[in-house]
Amino acid sequence: MNEIILNNSLSKSQEDFILSFNNFVSNDNKQAFILNGYAGTGKTFITSQIINYLYEQDWRIYFLTPTGRSAKVANDQLKNDGVKATTIHRGIYSSSNDIFFCGKDFCSFEYFEGDDSGFFIDKQNPICPICKENSDKKVKLFKKRRFELENIDIVKTENGTRDISHHKKLIFVDESSMVSNQKNISEVSFGSGKILNDLIEFSNIQTNSNNKIVFIGDTAQLTPIDMNFSPALSPKYLENNFDIISNISNLTEVFRQEKESGILDNATRFRNYISDKQFLDLSFKTENFEDLENIEDNVIERFSTLYNNQDLDSCVLITHSTKNTNFYNAEIRKKIFNIDEDIKLLNGERLICVENNYFNEIFNGEFITITSLGSFWERTRNIRPTEQEKREYIEQNGIDSKSADKIQKIPVKLTFQKATIQYFDNSGKIKEKEIVLNLSILNSNDRALNRLTRRAMYVDLLIRLNKKSLNIDDFSDSEFSSLVIKYGYSIVCHKAQGGEWNNVMIDFSTHDTLNKNTEDYFRWCYTAITRAKQKNFFINTPESVNNEEIDKIKELQRIFDSF
């Protein structure tokens, strides 16, 4: 790999990485490598150089990303016809036998054809054997779609399978800060339900010395939802949970040509604050930088001049809350479509998928564009609520206590529309598809369907099919498997993670009680400001500087330096 160093002008940390990585791929006893690169340090460039080199050396290269959009970004940057980025889900799972599971609380029974549990399940009348043993009542099993974890050392052929365990194989996992190891509970089963667990198992790095895995990411970005760190970028986590010793390199030097960038200047300061655990100075430097601009007025007008409905990469507006995204989306639509009222959907609309949809293979955070619209319909189902759902409904609708006592069921409106859409598929390629869109939370402050709405969709399906229970084929019903969407002009930061746009507007405002001098908010700021390729536009720029605490730290540093 020395030729990569000789043929390119690299930073010191990039050269160190090349040398360390060369040792890693040459040593059969080393299994995993973590490349942590901050914004502007040339992480993408140096990774593509290594991939091209190893591809020429006959390594089998796999490049996986969390989303179709990040796969598209990766393919634009890799520019290697022999190595194509794809989503993690498409790369490591394949459709398999359906899985039966018990829906009763505290029962974890699951069964699929071929398992070695010793249980026999009558598919025509599937009953939970555990619950049957423990009570006189027969508890019927539910069924859901199952995707089985593949084995990287076994490839499928027309005549069966072929063992490729003798080949050198290297798996790159990009945007690894987004990779969670929390168990995913959904209507579809993927492997163990834990993405990082499945990546490690798929790679076979613990049993085959020819296989290696590389996690690429930025530890200053937002962590996976419901986790306070990124497990795939933690050597300690990998060792404690998988007994894997990983090499690690940190790219830290910002390239000379990037030093005049206001985006990189502010990003570098914020990642230093995050690294040093100092969350005191929230001020942004915007003066004398051509790629930064503060906006106080005419935000919607400015967005409309940047927006191009033919180019998903043209611009986006990032906010801290769904409530703010709803406000901006409504105003932006009025401007770009020249409408006075909130019409549901229009041709050319940009939307974002807000829930994984395994039947259509469009996942949470993917952007879509409407090319044509079909029929629109809605239906209301009256659903018996839980006590908490009842309280929330009463509060949201301002119902008096006398009327509240009479509420037995809550009306839930389900809204759908047929459409032809364009989107980036699992390989980052533009694809067109006819689909049913679920508009039920299009204008609400909910980030995804709530439990009451999910139950309404289940009850609705039972009624439409005139059934008392459902089987797996029923779940492929076009309405039940419809794509849950919201408008995609303005989005929350977690949805923007892994994506890049030419121009990014960022509204830094939050609710009044939020403490902004925290690691979570500093990570939010860092992730938001590093989404732009060309220019950031700041709205409601924060200025909270805790001068008293800063002075204390300076005094402590002065005392420390005097010893």
Side-chain angles (χ1 to χ4, degrees):
M1 289 188 191
N2 287 336
E3 62 190 67
I4 298 178
I5 298 176
L6 295 173
N7 295 337
N8 296 282
S9 179
L10 305 180
S11 67
K12 177 64 166 60
S13 58
Q14 284 182 323
E15 290 186 4
D16 291 343
F17 163 59
I18 292 292
L19 295 174
S20 179
F21 197 83
N22 187 51
N23 179 262
F24 165 71
V25 296
S26 303
N27 193 324
D28 289 344
N29 296 320
K30 296 186 176 181
Q31 306 158 298
F33 199 102
I34 297 172
L35 175 61
N36 178 38
Y38 299 125
T41 56
K43 176 180 56 182
T44 301
F45 170 77
I46 201 65
T47 301
S48 64
Q49 292 293 308
I50 282 179
I51 287 175
N52 291 337
Y53 174 83
L54 292 174
Y55 180 75
E56 294 296 325
Q57 303 300 313
D58 292 330
W59 281 73
R60 286 177 176 254
I61 307 294
Y62 305 78
F63 199 97
L64 307 177
T65 71
T67 67
R69 181 169 183 83
S70 54
K72 185 262 182 189
V73 172
N75 281 323
D76 289 345
Q77 296 167 337
L78 287 174
K79 298 177 180 177
N80 185 321
D81 292 335
V83 180
K84 293 298 180 184
T86 187
T87 60
I88 295 172
H89 282 83
R90 181 169 183 173
I92 71 174
Y93 300 111
S94 64
S95 185
S96 185
N97 297 323
D98 302 327
I99 188 169
F100 291 90
F101 68 99
C102 183
K104 190 175 180 182
D105 290 342
F106 309 114
C107 182
S108 59
F109 177 76
E110 290 187 343
Y111 171 85
F112 57 89
E113 266 191 52
D115 81 356
D116 55 0
S117 61
F119 290 105
F120 170 77
I121 301 297
D122 181 356
K123 292 183 180 180
Q124 301 304 315
N125 185 33
I127 302 298
C128 178
I130 304 298
C131 293
K132 185 178 179 181
E133 286 182 6
N134 296 333
S135 68
D136 295 331
K137 295 181 179 179
K138 293 182 178 180
V139 179
K140 196 165 185 177
L141 294 174
F142 294 93
K143 198 192 293 187
K144 60 183 177 181
R145 193 176 178 189
R146 175 172 172 263
F147 284 82
E148 189 175 34
L149 186 65
E150 292 278 8
N151 183 336
I152 195 173
D153 287 330
I154 305 294
V155 296
K156 295 177 181 178
T157 66
E158 293 182 358
N159 300 319
T161 59
R162 181 161 58 92
D163 189 327
I164 60 167
S165 57
H166 58 285
H167 280 286
K168 295 282 188 180
K169 296 177 288 296
L170 193 54
I171 306 165
F172 289 86
V173 185
D174 200 18
E175 298 291 348
S176 290
S177 62
M178 299 170 65
V179 174
S180 175
N181 210 32
Q182 294 280 71
K183 189 173 180 66
N184 179 40
I185 307 296
S186 72
E187 71 279 4
V188 179
S189 172
F190 277 88
S192 70
K194 297 182 177 183
I195 292 288
L196 183 56
N197 269 43
D198 289 349
L199 279 167
I200 297 298
E201 186 176 343
F202 166 78
S203 69
N204 271 354
I205 58 174
Q206 292 159 309
T207 56
N208 187 350
S209 61
N210 286 321
N211 302 347
K212 296 179 183 293
I213 193 166
V214 182
F215 295 107
I216 309 166
D218 185 343
T219 53
Q221 285 195 26
L222 286 169
T223 58
I225 293 175
D226 295 330
M227 299 193 78
N228 59 9
F229 70 103
S230 298
L233 298 178
S234 169
K236 185 176 180 180
Y237 186 90
L238 295 177
E239 181 176 3
N240 291 343
N241 289 271
F242 305 106
D243 196 27
I244 292 173
I245 304 299
S246 52
N247 291 45
I248 185 167
S249 279
N250 295 297
L251 302 183
T252 55
E253 296 131 318
V254 175
F255 275 94
R256 185 176 294 107
Q257 61 266 34
E258 302 283 9
K259 289 183 178 178
E260 299 304 317
S261 163
I263 295 174
L264 270 300
D265 180 88
N266 285 280
T268 300
R269 287 193 304 108
F270 269 75
R271 57 101 160 161
N272 287 338
Y273 293 148
I274 293 166
S275 179
D276 296 338
K277 302 292 184 184
Q278 293 187 14
F279 311 112
L280 307 172
D281 186 357
L282 255 177
S283 60
F284 285 86
K285 297 178 180 178
T286 58
E287 294 182 2
N288 302 319
F289 289 119
E290 293 183 359
D291 59 351
L292 294 180
E293 182 178 338
N294 281 313
I295 302 180
E296 297 180 2
D297 303 304
N298 301 319
V299 173
I300 306 303
E301 177 71 30
R302 194 61 180 276
F303 184 94
S304 68
T305 63
L306 298 169
Y307 178 73
N308 178 355
N309 70 347
Q310 302 298 318
D311 182 8
L312 286 175
D313 295 336
S314 60
C315 67
V316 74
L317 197 160
I318 296 173
T319 75
H320 196 268
S321 70
T322 304
K323 183 178 180 180
N324 283 352
T325 65
N326 286 342
F327 166 78
Y328 279 119
N329 279 323
E331 296 303 311
I332 288 169
R333 293 182 70 244
K334 289 177 184 178
K335 180 66 179 177
I336 63 178
F337 290 108
N338 193 26
I339 54 177
D340 294 326
E341 58 184 38
D342 185 20
I343 300 172
K344 285 293 182 186
L345 287 180
L346 295 163
N347 282 330
E349 199 92 68
R350 180 206 279 181
L351 305 171
I352 185 171
C353 172
V354 295
E355 291 188 0
N356 288 332
N357 189 299
Y358 303 108
F359 294 96
N360 292 295
E361 293 191 337
I362 301 176
F363 297 97
N364 187 2
E366 305 288 1
F367 286 85
I368 68 174
T369 302
I370 294 178
T371 57
S372 66
L373 285 167
S375 56
F376 169 91
W377 67 98
E378 56 187 11
R379 197 180 297 115
T380 298
R381 297 299 184 191
N382 295 312
I383 305 299
R384 191 177 302 279
T386 64
E387 287 302 314
Q388 181 179 345
E389 289 167 345
K390 184 176 179 179
R391 286 193 299 270
E392 291 174 352
Y393 178 76
I394 291 168
E395 182 180 341
Q396 290 171 0
N397 292 275
I399 299 173
D400 60 76
S401 57
K402 187 176 181 180
S403 300
D405 292 338
K406 299 178 182 179
I407 295 176
Q408 298 298 317
K409 292 186 177 182
I410 292 176
V412 180
K413 184 181 287 186
L414 304 175
T415 311
F416 306 94
Q417 188 160 11
K418 287 185 178 179
T420 302
I421 63 170
Q422 284 187 344
Y423 65 101
F424 292 117
D425 68 8
N426 289 320
S427 299
K429 296 179 180 179
I430 291 180
K431 190 173 183 179
E432 190 165 270
K433 172 182 288 192
E434 290 185 2
I435 201 170
V436 174
L437 302 175
N438 189 322
L439 282 56
S440 302
I441 60 167
L442 185 61
N443 293 302
S444 80
N445 289 332
D446 292 324
R447 293 192 177 190
L449 293 182
N450 57 40
R451 290 185 177 182
L452 192 66
T453 306
R454 291 185 190 283
R455 292 207 304 280
M457 290 187 65
Y458 189 89
V459 170
D460 176 69
L461 185 59
L462 287 171
I463 294 172
R464 286 190 291 111
L465 297 180
N466 193 25
K467 287 187 173 184
K468 292 184 178 180
S469 63
L470 301 172
N471 59 46
I472 190 66
D473 294 328
D474 297 330
F475 292 137
S476 61
D477 173 86
S478 61
E479 285 186 28
F480 192 79
S481 61
S482 56
L483 192 71
V484 183
I485 48 91
K486 295 182 80 71
Y487 296 115
Y489 311 100
S490 175
I491 59 175
V492 293
C493 196
H494 261 295
K495 300 294 187 191
Q497 198 169 1
E500 291 180 342
W501 291 263
N502 296 331
N503 299 285
V504 176
M505 290 185 169
I506 305 167
D507 187 343
F508 292 91
S509 61
T510 65
H511 58 79
D512 294 336
T513 59
L514 181 74
N515 178 10
K516 294 181 180 179
N517 293 107
T518 61
E519 181 172 348
D520 283 345
Y521 190 71
F522 271 60
R523 285 184 179 277
W524 185 94
C525 290
Y526 176 87
T527 304
I529 65 179
T530 53
R531 297 307 91 207
K533 292 187 283 187
Q534 296 177 9
K535 190 168 184 176
N536 271 334
F537 299 83
F538 290 170
I539 308 162
N540 297 315
T541 311
E543 297 179 351
S544 61
V545 180
N546 194 329
N547 290 316
E548 184 177 344
E549 290 298 318
I550 290 175
D551 289 341
K552 285 182 182 179
I553 290 174
K554 286 182 177 179
E555 179 61 19
L556 287 172
Q557 187 64 47
R558 186 191 65 78
I559 295 171
F560 178 79
D561 291 341
S562 66
F563 285 100

